[in-house]
Amino acid sequence: MKSASTLSSAFLQSAGQALPEPLLALRANRASALTDLLLPTRKTENWKYSAKHLKLTDEMASSLPLNASAGAEADIQGYTVVLVNGVVRPEASNYPALEGLSIQRFSDLNGDDAELAADLLGKSISDQPAKHGSINLSLLNAARFEDGLLIQLQPGTVLNQPLLVIHHTSASHSGSAFPCILVAAGSNSQLTLVEDYVSSGESPVMVNTATEFSLGDGANITSVRLNTEGQNVQHMGTTGVRQQRNSRFASHSVGFGGTLRRHDLHVRLEGEGAECKLNGVVVTQGTQHYDNHTTIEHIAAHCNSEESYRNIAADKSHAIFNGRIHIHQDAQKSNANMSNKNLLLTNGAEIDTKPELEIYADDVKCAHGATIGQLDNESIFYLVSRGLSPRDAKVLLTMAFINELVAQIPVEQVRDTANTGLNQFFDQAFQEV
Amino acid sequence: MLSIKNLHASVEGKQILKGINLEIKAGEVHAIMGPNGSGKSTLSQVLAGNETFEVTEGDVTLNGDNLLELPTEARAREGVFLAFQYPVEIPGVSNLQFLRTAVNAMRKHQGKDDMNAAEFMKLAKEVSKQVDLDPAFLKRGVNEGFSGGEKKRNEIMQALLLQPKLAILDETDSGLDIDALKVVSDGVNALRAPDRAILMITHYQRLLDHIVPDYVHVLVDGKIIKSGGRELALELEAKGYGWLGVKDNTTASH
Ligand SMILES: Nc1ncnc2c1ncn2[C@@H]1O[C@H](COP(=O)(O)OP(=O)(O)OP(=O)(O)O)[C@@H](O)[C@H]1O
Ligand SMILES: [Mg+2]
C-alpha cells in the first residue's frame, strides 16, 4: 500500500464511457489540467489541518465497481434517487413524473440537456487546480465522474416534498467514487434536496463528491446534507451554489467525523436581493476528523448571508471550520453574519476555527464571531443535584449546544437520522465510569 | 435524619467550614443565619456534593448512611435537595425536559415506572401554579432569562416535584417581593411533613414569620457559635451579630 504523491499517479483515468460527448470532453479537459498536480501537504493553505488525514493508496486509485447493487435501502419513502459508487441505479430509485421537473442521469443526456450539464459543471466551483498555496481537490470529481444526475426545474415548478438522493458507497474492495449532482432551478421554482452519504463494506475507499446548484430569479432551494459513512471512507465533498436575483438558498449539513471528512461549500450571490442561510453541525470523537470550508461571495448589492456552524469534538478528535466571506466592490448594502461556536468535550480534542473576511465595498454590515468552550461544571452540578446522571446532564447540555440547528432541518426523516447518530455519539463520548 | 459531625471543608486550600455539628430530626425545620462569607452556602454545597469544596474532616450521615461517599446524583436520589442561592441559567435545555428527566431518575431509583410526557405535564402544571409561575415557564430554557424571584420560585417548584427527604433552602427568600415571599413560604410550608427535614439559610427574620422554625443556628466563620429557638432570630434582628462577639460587617436586616 504505497502512498501516492501526485494526483495523476493517485488517480487512474478510467472510462466514463457511457457519458455523452460534451461531458466526456469536459472530463478529459479537467483530467489534463490536473496532471502533475501535487497532493496537498500540511503546507498547503487550505489543507493545513487536514493533509495528515488524507491517506491515499494506489489501491484507491481505481474506480469502485460501476455495477454494484444498492443493497437494503428498499423501504425508503418518498421521492428517491439512489447512486451506488457514483452511478445512478434507476431500479432502486423512485421519483415523480411531474410537469416541470426532469431528473435524468448523465448517461441518458443528449442534445441541449447534455450541453447544459457540461455548461453547469464546475461553474460554481473555482476551476483552478492550485491557487495561492491552496489545492482544489474538488476538481478531481470533474476529471473522474462516471455518471451523475441532472435535475431541472422549469420556472415556477414546486416540488411539494423532499427529493432524497442516497449516495451509497459500496466498499467491498479499495477504490474511489465520484458522485455528481447538478441542479438547474428555474425562476421561482422550489425544491428541497436531501443528500445522504452512506456506505457499506470495510475496505479503504475515497469518495469525492460534487453538487452544484444554479438558482434562477426567485428560486427557493434547500439543500440538506447528511454524512454517516463508515470509518473506512475518506470523504471530500464540494457544494457550489450560484444565486440570481431574489433567490433563496438554505443549507443544513450534519456531519459525523471519520478518517477524513471534508466539505467545501461555496455560495456566490450574483443577483441583487439574493439570500443564503448556511447551517452546519459536526460531531467528532475517537481520532476522527472533520473539516468544513465555506465561502460566501457577495457579488451583487443588497444580498444577505447568514451562517451558523457548530462543532463538538470529543476524545482526541479534530474539527475544523474555515469560513470565508468575500464582499466584492459592487456589493453595497451587503449584510453578512457568520457565527461559529465550538464545544471541546475533552482536553485532548482539537478545534481550529478561522474566519476570513475580505471586504471591498464600503457600505456593508458584516458580523462574525467564533467561540471555543467546554461544558460548564456549574451547569452539570445543577442538573446532577436534581438526580440526573452525569451522562444525562452532559447529553442535555451538549444537545442544547446544537439543538437549535438540528431543529431547523426541515425534513423529519433527516432529523431522526441525525438524532440517532447523535445518541450513538453521546453513548461513546459520555460513557459512564 | 441528618447528622453532621465536626465537618471541615476547604476551597482552593482555604478552610471555610471549621467544625460544624448539627443534628436535624425528621419533621423539623432548622434555620441557619450568619454574616456574609461565614460559610452558609459552602455548607449547603458540601451537603449536596459539590466537588469544588473538599471535605477535610468530619462525617455526615443521612438516615444512618454515609452521605459524603455518595456522588451528587445518588444524594439527590436519596432525597437531598438544594435550592440554590444562585440558580444557574442553562439556555437551550428545556425546563420541562430537565424536570421530567429528574423526576424519572428519582422514580427509577424508587422502583417506579417512568412518567410519560402527558402525565408529567399535568403534574408540572399543578406545581407551577402552586408557586404562582405561569406554566409557560416550563417551556423556556432552565432559568433562562428568569427574574431573581422567578428563579427562586422555580427552585421551590422543583422541590415540590421531587419531594425530597431533606430540603436545603439557601436564601430562597432573598430578592422576593412581599407577595412572592408569601407564595414561596406557602410552598415551603406545603413541604413540611413528619418524614421530611428542612434546613433554611436566611438573613431575614421576616421569612421566619411565615415559616416558623424549630431551631435557629448562628454560623460564624465556619462554626455554629449559637443555637436556640425561634426567639434567637428576633434577637439577631434587633441586635445584629455584634453582641455574639462577632465583628459586625454586615446587617441582618435592610
Ligand atoms: N469556589 C470558591 N472559590 C474560592 N472561595 C470561595 C468559593 N466559594 C466560596 N468561597 C469563599 O468561602 C467563603 C464562604 O462563602 P459562602 O458562600 O459559603 O458564604 P455565605 O455564608 O453563604 O455568604 P452569603 O451570606 O454572602 O451568601 C467566602 O469567603 C467565599 O469567598
Ligand atoms: Mg450564601
Side-chain angles (χ1 to χ4, degrees):
Chain A
M1 298 237 299
K2 180 166 65 95
S3 62
S5 63
T6 65
L7 284 177
S8 49
S9 68
F11 300 103
L12 307 172
Q13 265 306 104
S14 65
Q17 274 161 10
L19 295 168
E21 179 47 38
L23 287 175
L24 262 185
L26 181 124
R27 195 177 182 276
N29 250 331
R30 286 293 157 84
S32 59
L34 289 178
T35 310
D36 295 332
L37 184 71
L38 291 173
L39 282 172
T41 66
R42 70 191 157 79
K43 295 202 175 114
T44 310
E45 184 53 33
N46 63 338
W47 280 86
K48 190 170 162 191
Y49 300 112
S50 299
K52 65 170 181 258
H53 297 278
L54 184 65
K55 288 177 184 134
L56 303 177
T57 60
D58 289 348
E59 287 78 3
M60 279 183 228
S62 31
S63 288
L64 283 164
L66 304 180
N67 55 358
S69 80
E73 274 120 9
D75 59 345
I76 288 157
Q77 307 285 310
Y79 303 161
T80 309
V81 182
V82 176
L83 280 79
V84 178
N85 297 343
V87 177
V88 179
R89 313 301 321 179
E91 74 283 2
S93 304
N94 159 41
Y95 45 83
L98 188 77
E99 195 167 317
L101 171 73
S102 115
I103 300 176
Q104 292 166 283
R105 60 186 298 187
F106 285 178
S107 55
D108 288 344
L109 295 177
N110 44 45
D112 289 350
D113 290 338
E115 295 290 346
L116 174 71
D119 195 42
L120 287 174
L121 225 163
K123 272 291 157 51
S124 59
I125 302 168
S126 163
D127 58 1
Q128 285 169 286
K131 192 179 169 187
H132 304 314
S134 292
I135 291 177
N136 183 3
L137 282 190
S138 64
L139 293 180
L140 262 181
N141 185 282
R144 290 286 305 278
F145 66 96
E146 298 286 349
D147 194 7
L149 272 188
L150 174 64
I151 300 169
Q152 295 180 74
L153 292 156
Q154 295 307 313
T157 305
V158 175
L159 199 63
N160 62 3
Q161 57 167 288
L163 173 63
L164 173 64
V165 177
I166 297 172
H167 293 278
H168 184 127
T169 299
S170 171
S172 46
H173 51 80
S174 265
S176 47
F178 301 87
C180 180
I181 296 193
L182 302 175
V183 177
S187 57
N188 300 315
S189 61
Q190 285 184 34
L191 169 72
T192 295
L193 181 75
V194 178
E195 288 184 86
D196 190 6
Y197 289 90
V198 299
S199 71
S200 61
E202 301 298 327
S203 302
V205 296
M206 190 205 66
V207 177
N208 184 302
T209 79
T211 309
E212 297 192 56
F213 295 91
S214 167
L215 279 65
D217 292 356
N220 187 344
I221 301 295
T222 298
S223 159
V224 180
R225 185 184 181 95
L226 184 66
N227 190 322
T228 56
E229 289 164 329
Q231 299 304 305
N232 51 318
V233 178
Q234 296 185 56
H235 181 108
M236 292 170 241
T238 303
T239 301
V241 185
R242 295 173 63 189
Q243 292 188 242
Q244 304 312 316
R245 250 168 207 281
N246 298 328
S247 61
R248 282 157 185 259
F249 178 78
S251 160
H252 301 265
S253 72
V254 180
F256 294 91
T259 42
L260 175 95
R261 292 283 183 274
R262 171 154 180 148
H263 185 220
D264 287 45
L265 172 55
H266 191 143
V267 179
R268 294 165 58 93
L269 300 165
E270 297 177 347
E272 287 194 7
E275 282 184 15
C276 72
K277 176 184 173 74
L278 314 180
N279 286 350
V281 171
V282 162
V283 297
T284 57
Q285 64 195 152
T287 56
Q288 289 173 349
H289 161 268
Y290 208 112
D291 184 352
N292 268 311
H293 270 63
T294 68
T295 301
I296 301 170
E297 286 192 72
H298 283 259
I299 297 164
H302 297 281
C303 292
N304 292 329
S305 65
E306 181 82 40
E307 179 171 25
S308 179
Y309 270 68
R310 307 233 168 135
N311 296 319
I312 301 174
D315 308 323
K316 291 182 173 340
S317 64
H318 189 181
I320 299 131
F321 174 78
N322 190 299
R324 178 164 169 256
I325 296 177
H326 178 174
I327 301 186
H328 292 235
Q329 200 171 356
D330 294 336
Q332 300 296 357
K333 306 281 180 198
S334 289
N335 202 338
N337 223 319
M338 173 167 65
S339 146
N340 172 234
K341 294 188 184 169
N342 299 286
L343 183 61
L344 281 170
L345 294 179
T346 58
N347 292 331
E350 182 178 344
I351 290 179
D352 290 283
T353 170
K354 185 173 166 204
E356 288 181 61
L357 306 179
E358 280 177 58
I359 302 175
Y360 300 103
D362 46 27
D363 185 11
V364 302
K365 278 194 202 139
C366 182
H368 68 98
T371 59
I372 301 184
Q374 297 191 310
L375 289 178
D376 176 40
N377 281 328
E378 213 190 323
S379 301
I380 295 174
F381 178 66
Y382 185 80
L383 298 174
V384 170
S385 80
R386 300 302 185 239
L388 272 70
S389 66
R391 178 201 179 268
D392 286 351
K394 288 175 188 167
V395 168
L396 278 183
L397 291 171
T398 310
M399 240 355 252
F401 185 75
I402 49 176
N403 201 23
E404 188 192 327
L405 296 185
V406 175
Q408 284 180 44
I409 299 171
V411 184
E412 190 183 350
Q413 191 186 335
V414 177
R415 281 199 304 275
D416 290 348
T417 312
N419 281 319
T420 305
L422 289 169
N423 281 324
Q424 285 165 3
F425 172 82
F426 295 140
D427 283 342
Q428 302 254 334
F430 304 125
Q431 280 170 25
E432 294 284 12
V433 277
Chain B
M1 161 94 50
L2 179 72
S3 168
I4 304 176
K5 293 210 172 85
N6 192 31
L7 183 65
H8 287 66
S10 65
V11 60
E12 288 168 4
K14 185 175 145 204
Q15 202 68 34
I16 311 289
L17 301 184
K18 301 175 179 171
I20 303 266
N21 290 292
L22 188 61
E23 296 283 333
I24 305 183
K25 296 200 182 67
E28 292 178 351
V29 175
H30 289 233
I32 293 187
M33 304 182 83
N36 292 133
S38 57
K40 304 181 298 296
S41 292
T42 301
L43 174 63
S44 69
Q45 296 278 332
V46 166
L47 292 176
N50 189 339
E51 286 171 2
T52 312
F53 302 92
E54 193 195 349
V55 174
T56 50
E57 215 182 317
D59 298 301
V60 180
T61 59
L62 183 75
N63 294 321
D65 295 331
N66 182 350
L67 198 64
L68 297 179
E69 80 190 359
L70 295 179
T72 301
E73 67 276 16
R75 296 184 197 193
R77 292 171 196 167
E78 288 300 333
V80 176
F81 179 90
L82 168 62
F84 286 69
Q85 181 175 2
Y86 304 111
V88 45
E89 294 200 22
I90 313 180
V93 173
S94 103
N95 223 358
L96 200 61
Q97 196 188 358
F98 156 52
L99 295 174
R100 193 171 140 223
T101 313
V103 165
N104 282 334
M106 209 67 90
R107 291 177 67 90
K108 187 173 171 202
H109 182 70
Q110 295 161 350
K112 296 181 189 159
D113 286 343
D114 270 13
M115 257 191 186
N116 67 33
E119 288 169 329
F120 181 76
M121 193 64 201
K122 190 162 166 276
L123 176 68
K125 275 187 176 158
E126 277 166 26
V127 290
S128 65
K129 286 205 187 94
Q130 214 177 328
V131 294
D132 205 20
L133 264 186
D134 188 324
F137 278 87
L138 294 166
K139 300 234 165 88
R140 298 208 353 217
V142 175
N143 293 315
E144 187 180 356
F146 287 25
S147 75
E150 287 160 355
K151 283 181 186 160
K152 302 285 167 142
R153 280 184 274 166
N154 194 27
E155 294 293 287
I156 296 303
M157 181 181 87
Q158 293 176 29
L160 289 166
L161 270 178
L162 296 170
Q163 295 284 311
K165 288 194 191 118
L166 171 69
I168 305 161
L169 313 177
D170 190 356
E171 295 199 29
T172 303
D173 56 328
S174 56
L176 296 181
D177 64 37
I178 296 163
D179 293 338
L181 183 68
K182 177 86 173 64
V183 168
V184 163
S185 305
D186 289 348
V188 176
N189 282 323
L191 280 173
R192 283 186 96 144
D195 59 349
R196 180 174 294 133
I198 297 175
L199 178 62
M200 340 186 255
I201 294 165
T202 183
H203 286 293
Y204 308 112
Q205 115 78 24
R206 61 172 192 176
L207 175 72
L208 309 181
D209 288 339
H210 295 278
I211 311 163
V212 180
D214 300 298
Y215 297 95
V216 175
H217 310 276
V218 183
L219 181 68
V220 176
D221 191 22
K223 279 187 194 155
I224 290 177
I225 59 158
K226 193 166 176 65
S227 297
R230 156 110 186 74
E231 63 294 343
L232 180 55
L234 292 167
E235 230 168 334
L236 289 170
E237 174 103 332
K239 302 182 188 167
Y241 295 104
W243 63 283
L244 290 168
V246 179
K247 192 158 52 102
D248 196 359
N249 55 3
T250 180
T251 45
S253 61
H254 278 312

